[in-house]
Amino acid sequence: MQFIDQAEIQVQAGDGGDGMVSFRREKYVPAGGPNGGNGGRGGSIVLQADENLQTLLDFRYMRLFKADNGQKGGTSNCTGASGRDRIIEVPCGTMIYDLETDELIGDLTTHGQTLKVAEGGKGGLGNHCFLSNRNRAPENAFPGQPGELRSLRLELKLLAEVGIIGLPNAGKSTLISALSAARPKIANYPFTTLVPNLGVVRKPSGDGTVFADIPGLIEGAHMGIGLGHDFLRHVERTRLLLHLVDVTAEDPIADYQTIQGELDAYGRGLSDRLQILAINKLDTVDPESEEVQAIASQLEQLSGTSVYRISAAAHMGLDSLMQRVWQELDELKSQEDEELQALEQLQSTPSLVES
């Protein structure tokens, strides 16, 4: 399955039905008066988040979506049938922009969440609505209003609490396969992973946490070089970054600085995101060697935090690494809960009005 995380579509809501001009004609009822009904409302376009979808691939092959038109009003003051709304399912994490103004219309993050993006046209008035003392036999009715037409840009940002970052071949895919049931393609060459991979990692409490392997970050990624520019947006939603450095690389220190530079250049707060740093592939070297010790020491000085020493392939050091991940996530959640409670308390406190 192709991973498509951007798409442009056009949506056309249904037109409202026309009002009807009609007069009551029954035996023994002279001058029955107008009885033309109103037109029905046109159907609207509604986007709905679906947790079973992972990509915007379907929108590559179908880009125009129309809702049903409303029906014309009938006799006996009967209103025409309304057009059915068109429900379009999108993956959770989809952001919807107006293509012409680039305005963010909405962000669908939870399963079942809906967003109306195009309003159906109102039905026209039938001639019974124009009856008055001065006009006892109106012969005019209004046409239905046209439905809203919009061009939209859909942008998918994966919903993951932990993003795994690092240069190509740092062992990101191996780590996510070691921690979860995800089985991404793994090979001993750069750019093996061409799309983000998601894996659910179980906490000791039994709850699941989504990890995302963010591929293709290289120098210049923020300018569109390589694959990183396409996938840096998926880091935006993560609460915690797990940064892997290949200890067998030619210059692990430069590799770390390259990724940090790309996060800083991309902006949007990525460089300030909480990071846990780990040097990987210790099964291929002597973990106690002076070279490894020097690399770890330099990284600790640059990052200002402790550096974990792991081997994703050999499952070395993963327990202590994950303990730190769970600890940091719990602290972040506690901070968010405290901020939410403070905000709710502030909103519920009546403001003082000076007399």
Side-chain angles (χ1 to χ4, degrees), residues 72-94:
K72 184 177 181 179
T75 60
S76 302
N77 296 328
C78 291
T79 300
S82 296
R84 290 182 299 176
D85 292 342
R86 180 72 180 271
I87 308 296
I88 305 174
E89 295 179 337
V90 297
C92 293
T94 300

Side-chain angles (χ1 to χ4, degrees), residues 233-306:
R233 70 174 65 92
H234 298 293
V235 186
E236 293 181 37
R237 292 193 189 271
T238 59
R239 304 165 73 185
L240 174 68
L241 296 179
L242 186 52
H243 189 164
L244 292 189
V245 177
D246 183 359
V247 74
T248 65
E250 183 177 348
D251 191 346
I253 308 302
D255 291 353
Y256 168 79
Q257 293 173 326
T258 295
I259 294 297
Q260 294 300 119
E262 292 307 308
L263 295 179
D264 185 60
Y266 184 75
R268 306 185 188 183
L270 294 190
S271 59
D272 298 327
R273 195 69 46 87
L274 178 63
Q275 288 189 37
I276 297 177
L277 184 60
I279 52 176
N280 191 26
K281 302 186 181 181
L282 287 185
D283 59 314
T284 62
V285 297
D286 180 6
E288 303 300 329
S289 66
E290 293 184 0
E291 183 179 1
V292 172
Q293 300 294 338
I295 292 172
S297 177
Q298 292 182 61
L299 289 176
E300 287 178 350
Q301 292 179 4
L302 288 172
S303 63
T305 183
S306 58

Side-chain angles (χ1 to χ4, degrees), residues 200-245:
V200 178
V201 182
R202 295 294 175 189
K203 291 183 178 180
S205 60
D207 299 333
T209 299
V210 179
F211 282 54
D213 161 20
I214 310 299
L217 297 185
I218 62 174
E219 186 174 1
H222 71 282
M223 297 185 295
I225 299 176
L227 303 173
H229 182 263
D230 293 330
F231 299 126
L232 269 170
R233 70 174 65 92
H234 298 293
V235 186
E236 293 181 37
R237 292 193 189 271
T238 59
R239 304 165 73 185
L240 174 68
L241 296 179
L242 186 52
H243 189 164
L244 292 189
V245 177

Side-chain angles (χ1 to χ4, degrees), residues 115-251:
L115 175 68
K116 184 183 292 186
V117 293
E119 185 76 38
K122 294 182 179 179
L125 299 178
N127 68 334
H128 81 281
C129 293
F130 300 94
L131 177 65
S132 67
N133 290 333
R134 293 187 176 184
N135 189 3
R136 307 301 296 176
E139 295 185 358
N140 58 312
F142 280 177
Q145 296 181 0
E148 192 175 7
L149 174 66
R150 300 184 78 171
S151 295
L152 306 175
R153 185 179 87 250
L154 307 182
E155 187 174 293
L156 175 62
K157 293 182 181 178
L158 296 178
L159 298 176
E161 289 196 90
V162 180
I164 306 175
I165 60 173
L167 286 178
N169 216 32
K172 301 183 297 294
S173 297
T174 303
L175 179 60
I176 201 171
S177 65
L179 297 175
S180 69
R183 292 296 175 264
K185 180 181 180 181
I186 300 173
N188 190 26
Y189 54 84
F191 296 108
T192 308
T193 305
L194 300 179
V195 301
N197 293 304
L198 293 179
V200 178
V201 182
R202 295 294 175 189
K203 291 183 178 180
S205 60
D207 299 333
T209 299
V210 179
F211 282 54
D213 161 20
I214 310 299
L217 297 185
I218 62 174
E219 186 174 1
H222 71 282
M223 297 185 295
I225 299 176
L227 303 173
H229 182 263
D230 293 330
F231 299 126
L232 269 170
R233 70 174 65 92
H234 298 293
V235 186
E236 293 181 37
R237 292 193 189 271
T238 59
R239 304 165 73 185
L240 174 68
L241 296 179
L242 186 52
H243 189 164
L244 292 189
V245 177
D246 183 359
V247 74
T248 65
E250 183 177 348
D251 191 346

Side-chain angles (χ1 to χ4, degrees), residues 14-69:
D15 298 335
D18 296 337
M20 187 172 190
V21 176
S22 174
F23 293 91
R24 182 182 179 190
R25 292 180 174 84
E26 295 182 24
K27 192 176 182 180
Y28 308 120
V29 183
N35 70 346
N38 300 335
R41 177 189 60 82
S44 299
I45 304 292
V46 178
L47 301 186
Q48 182 175 22
D50 186 347
E51 63 185 5
N52 297 314
L53 298 178
Q54 302 294 333
T55 175
L56 298 174
L57 176 63
D58 293 342
F59 299 101
R60 280 292 180 93
Y61 306 104
M62 186 174 183
R63 299 196 175 187
L64 176 61
F65 297 86
K66 293 183 177 181
D68 294 339
N69 295 329

